């Protein structure tokens, strides 16, 4: 199994469930901190960028 260098979201509250992000093989990977070995969502960098723009309310 591939090991990723996960980074915790800067919006994570102490002790709460958080989103972790990693990059590898030209993809962005997302997982939940409560089960980092569970499901991993994969996206292209452009799709991840579009997602973060929408979540921030930017056009």
């Amino acid at each position: 199994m591939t090991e990723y260098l996960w980074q915790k979201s800067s919006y994570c509250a102490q002790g709460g469930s958080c989103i972790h992000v990693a990059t590898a093989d030209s993809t962005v990977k997302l997982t939940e901190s409560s089960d980092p070995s569970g499901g991993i969502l994969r996206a292209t960098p452009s799709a991840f960028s579009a997602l973060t723009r929408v979540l921030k309310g930017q056009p």
Side-chain angles (χ1 to χ4, degrees):
M1 182 172 171
T2 303
E3 290 288 326
Y4 299 115
L5 179 61
W6 294 104
Q7 296 180 25
K8 184 169 53 170
S9 168
S10 61
Y11 290 97
C12 180
Q14 286 291 85
S17 292
C18 303
I19 298 296
H20 288 195
V21 179
T23 58
D25 306 322
S26 300
T27 60
V28 178
K29 291 148 180 61
L30 299 143
T31 191
E32 184 184 0
S33 63
S34 66
D35 187 12
S37 63
I40 297 173
L41 175 67
R42 292 166 175 82
T44 63
S46 60
F48 181 71
S49 179
L51 173 65
T52 57
R53 280 194 310 272
V54 167
L55 294 174
K56 290 180 178 180
Q58 299 173 351

